[in-house]
Amino acid sequence: MAVVAPLLALLYSVPGLCRWLARPYYPLSALLATAFLLVRKVPPLCQGLPSQREDGNPCDFDWREVEILMFLSAIVMMKNRRSITVEQHIGNIFMFSKVANAILFFRLDIRMGLLYLTLCIVFLMTCKPPLYMGPEYIKYFSDKTIDEELDRDKRVTWIVEFFANWSSECQSFAPIFADLSLKYNCPGLHFGKVDVGRYTDVSTRYKVSTSPLTKQLPTLILFQGGTETMRRPQIDKKGRAVSWTFSEENVIREFNLNELYQKAKKQAKPREEGPEEEAKKDK
């Protein structure tokens, strides 16, 4: 059984892995993340490289390179403790591996470091992480439609995600939010999204920071009666975002989704049955 379970898990993950490999972002990221390993370990690439090893072997790591790689492993393990999705785990590995690769290349030769840094910048500018394209019950707002929709029917409760496409945290949360919308959407409870990276006036209006170093993306806001009643992450007195994990369990618990869903269904029933009852009375 100890062998069967991992094999089944591997087989289950094969379709997802194939989808990742079919997107240029992931194979190219993996190539950049393992660039130093390939250069240092694969002949003839490693021939002629400088080395601080006692035996002078250019195709093996020296003690400083091993130290940097061990530090990288520790950082990735620490960051991945808070990761929820597979995409977040892989994203952390890619990001910190690229940083370690840049350090290792600059240590080896400044020209190789500059070349690697240039490749990373070109990759960042030309190859974006794939956006979630799965099923969802989510209404996308613009800067003009968000206020109109929230005020259209005050009986409808809205959970709106404020996101930016360039944010890796938003991309990781996208399938979670989509899944929640499939489970909890009903006539009295709706899910919405607005791209504050595109509509900057919306970010100002709803006080969601879009700084590159912000901790406020994504931001979830609950609107009841057209008015904000809660948001995550919360903002402290100094205007800083309080750390919060965007997992499905946390959203369900913090926003009381099960209770909201039941109340929304009860409120929606009279509205749905109203015209029918009036028709019966007319007969």
Side-chain angles (χ1 to χ4, degrees), residues 13-278:
S13 65
V14 165
L17 290 171
C18 291
R19 285 195 298 271
W20 288 341
L21 292 173
R23 299 166 177 173
Y25 175 81
Y26 291 108
L28 290 175
S29 285
L31 184 61
L32 285 172
T34 57
F36 185 82
L37 176 65
L38 295 173
V39 169
R40 177 57 93 180
K41 283 289 190 178
V42 178
L45 296 176
C46 60
Q47 300 296 331
L49 291 178
S51 176
Q52 294 184 9
R53 290 177 58 88
E54 292 181 0
D55 58 7
N57 182 8
C59 293
D60 207 353
F61 298 120
D62 60 38
W63 67 273
R64 181 62 72 181
E65 291 166 350
V66 172
E67 194 176 58
I68 292 171
L69 292 172
M70 291 292 289
F71 183 69
L72 165 67
S73 302
I75 293 294
V76 169
M77 288 176 65
M78 289 174 62
K79 287 293 292 183
N80 275 345
R81 286 189 303 175
R82 297 185 59 190
S83 299
I84 304 301
T85 64
V86 176
E87 287 82 0
Q88 285 177 315
H89 284 280
I90 293 175
N92 284 333
I93 292 170
F94 285 160
M95 180 176 65
F96 289 105
S97 294
K98 290 170 188 174
V99 172
N101 272 262
I103 295 170
L104 290 165
F105 275 121
F106 270 109
R107 180 177 172 273
L108 200 63
D109 188 319
I110 191 169
R111 292 169 297 180
M112 296 182 73
L114 289 172
L115 175 61
Y116 181 79
L117 194 60
T118 302
L119 289 174
C120 287
I121 293 171
V122 170
F123 171 78
L124 187 64
M125 294 175 64
T126 59
C127 195
K128 303 296 182 183
L131 301 177
Y132 176 77
M133 300 297 289
E136 58 184 26
Y137 282 133
I138 296 174
K139 185 175 182 66
Y140 284 79
F141 299 125
S142 68
D143 54 342
K144 295 179 175 62
T145 60
I146 181 169
D147 293 330
E148 294 175 4
E149 194 63 44
L150 292 174
D151 293 332
R152 187 188 302 277
D153 188 344
K154 297 295 181 69
R155 294 170 296 181
V156 175
T157 296
W158 282 91
I159 298 178
V160 181
E161 179 193 352
F162 295 76
F163 75 102
N165 282 327
W166 51 261
S167 168
S168 59
E169 288 80 7
C170 293
Q171 291 162 8
S172 298
F173 182 61
I176 297 174
F177 194 60
D179 189 49
L180 288 170
S181 73
L182 293 171
K183 292 177 180 176
Y184 291 97
N185 184 77
C186 67
L189 176 60
H190 292 174
F191 291 76
K193 292 180 78 167
V194 59
D195 186 353
V196 291
R198 179 180 180 186
Y199 303 112
T200 52
D201 57 330
V202 175
S203 68
T204 304
R205 210 154 65 228
Y206 289 93
K207 299 178 181 178
V208 178
S209 172
T210 55
S211 161
L213 300 176
T214 185
K215 300 294 184 182
Q216 293 185 41
L217 291 175
T219 286
L220 280 186
I221 299 182
L222 176 67
F223 293 94
Q224 293 178 302
T227 304
E228 177 184 334
T229 56
M230 72 173 290
R231 72 165 61 195
R232 292 293 182 274
Q234 293 176 300
I235 307 300
D236 63 19
K237 294 180 180 178
K238 295 182 179 179
R240 295 175 302 191
V242 179
S243 181
W244 196 70
T245 303
F246 281 87
S247 66
E248 183 171 332
E249 295 78 11
N250 280 354
V251 175
I252 293 171
R253 182 179 63 254
E254 293 287 314
F255 287 83
N256 293 318
L257 277 187
N258 291 317
E259 184 179 340
L260 284 176
Y261 179 66
Q262 295 302 325
K263 285 183 179 179
K265 284 203 302 183
K266 288 178 182 178
Q267 290 173 356
K269 269 188 177 180
R271 280 185 284 162
E272 292 173 354
E273 294 174 358
E276 294 178 7
E277 293 297 325
E278 287 178 10

Side-chain angles (χ1 to χ4, degrees), residues 3-15 17:
V3 177
V4 173
L7 286 174
L8 290 175
L10 179 62
L11 290 172
Y12 179 78
S13 65
V14 165
L17 290 171

